[in-house]
Amino acid sequence: MNIEKIDLLRIKLQESLDLLVNRIGPIQIGQKAQFPYGWRKAAKGRTVWRIVEEIIIQNLEKYYTEFNLKEIKSSEGEVTVHDMECKFSDDELLYVNIKSAVCGGRKNKDDISKAAGLKNFYDADANRNFFIATFFIKFNESMSIEIEKAVVFPIVWIKDIYVNPSNNGNLQSAYYKDLDDAVKRTNHDFLKLFHDAMDIAAKKKEKKYND
């Protein structure tokens, strides 16, 4: 899979998700009378994310042809590295991990995927097309939320390839929400760096236990 092909698929998926965002519109969480002091600490992505994720998946499944998709299938389990698979044509299978972010939020190093699971995913086929789709949420005074935009980012283009040596062993990144941060690579180049990062994490973990 060359860089040009990855970018072409990214653009097509971005166009589909832009259509989806426009279709969904505001999502009413409650009434102002029910929240006399507004959102307070609830104005965080994780507070409403499960609802938003379900709305995204259900709309994609129901109206996929409106988004120029030929086929879509949500993940069957909680342990897979992707949340859905979709196709634009028979020879264009995309795997997508759906994430959220609060508009105007800080850039933090977030969990992308379990490193071991991602390794198994690519061991099955090193040419798979894997994208992170981040949906940016805005909290309104009317106690509704809106998806302001979606950003589609190839996982193989993340700048900071880091595997946390803790028990979770997650691939983490702070640079997957803005294409200006992308380092355009092929799957082959990414996987070499990813495997190196896994080796470094394993050595750090072993040293910690031996000290």
Side-chain angles (χ1 to χ4, degrees):
M1 182 64 62
N2 60 39
I3 291 172
E4 290 75 18
K5 181 63 174 178
I6 293 172
D7 200 30
L8 176 62
L9 292 175
R10 178 195 67 78
I11 292 169
K12 292 174 76 170
L13 183 57
Q14 181 68 63
E15 291 172 346
S16 294
L17 296 188
D18 288 345
L19 293 171
L20 170 70
V21 169
N22 289 335
R23 190 184 208 288
I24 290 174
I27 303 164
Q28 196 68 44
I29 300 300
Q31 303 300 321
K32 291 189 72 173
Q34 297 168 326
F35 293 85
Y37 298 109
W39 289 102
R40 284 189 167 178
K41 295 180 180 179
K44 298 179 180 179
R46 64 175 178 268
T47 305
V48 297
W49 176 238
R50 189 64 191 90
I51 295 171
V52 175
E53 183 180 26
E54 191 64 32
I55 289 173
I56 290 167
I57 292 294
Q58 288 195 25
N59 276 269
L60 283 169
E61 289 180 348
K62 178 69 174 178
Y63 307 110
Y64 65 95
T65 56
E66 292 185 19
F67 312 130
N68 302 316
L69 293 166
K70 180 179 180 180
E71 182 181 325
I72 180 168
K73 181 172 70 173
S74 59
S75 174
E76 296 179 353
E78 295 291 331
V79 296
T80 56
V81 298
H82 60 282
D83 295 307
M84 68 176 189
E85 304 172 19
C86 61
K87 288 183 177 181
F88 292 102
S89 64
D90 287 335
D91 61 344
E92 292 180 333
L93 176 60
L94 287 70
Y95 298 87
V96 185
N97 188 2
I98 300 174
K99 294 193 174 295
S100 69
V102 177
C103 292
R106 294 182 298 177
K107 185 176 289 187
N108 299 312
K109 191 178 286 291
D110 302 320
D111 290 339
I112 301 298
S113 178
K114 290 284 190 296
L118 192 62
K119 180 180 182 300
N120 292 336
F121 173 82
Y122 278 114
D123 282 348
D125 184 354
N127 291 312
R128 281 176 163 174
N129 305 300
F130 192 13
F131 297 89
I132 307 165
T134 303
F135 291 81
F136 287 78
I137 301 170
K138 179 178 72 171
F139 290 80
N140 299 322
E141 290 185 10
S142 63
M143 303 312 299
S144 68
I145 59 173
E146 290 182 67
I147 303 172
E148 284 266 285
K149 64 177 180 178
V151 172
V152 176
F153 201 107
I155 194 171
V156 298
W157 289 5
I158 60 173
K159 179 166 63 175
D160 52 336
I161 300 172
Y162 171 76
V163 175
N164 191 320
S166 71
N167 289 336
N168 290 332
N170 289 321
L171 173 67
Q172 298 180 329
S173 174
Y175 300 99
Y176 65 94
K177 302 173 186 176
D178 188 339
L179 284 166
D180 289 339
D181 294 323
V183 178
K184 295 185 177 181
R185 309 185 189 90
T186 62
N187 285 26
H188 177 269
D189 291 338
F190 166 78
L191 288 173
K192 183 179 184 306
L193 296 170
F194 172 59
H195 291 151
D196 289 345
M198 287 191 71
D199 290 342
I200 291 170
K203 289 175 182 177
K204 286 182 178 179
K205 185 175 180 180
E206 183 179 2
K207 183 178 185 301
K208 180 180 179 181
Y209 285 141
N210 291 335
D211 286 346

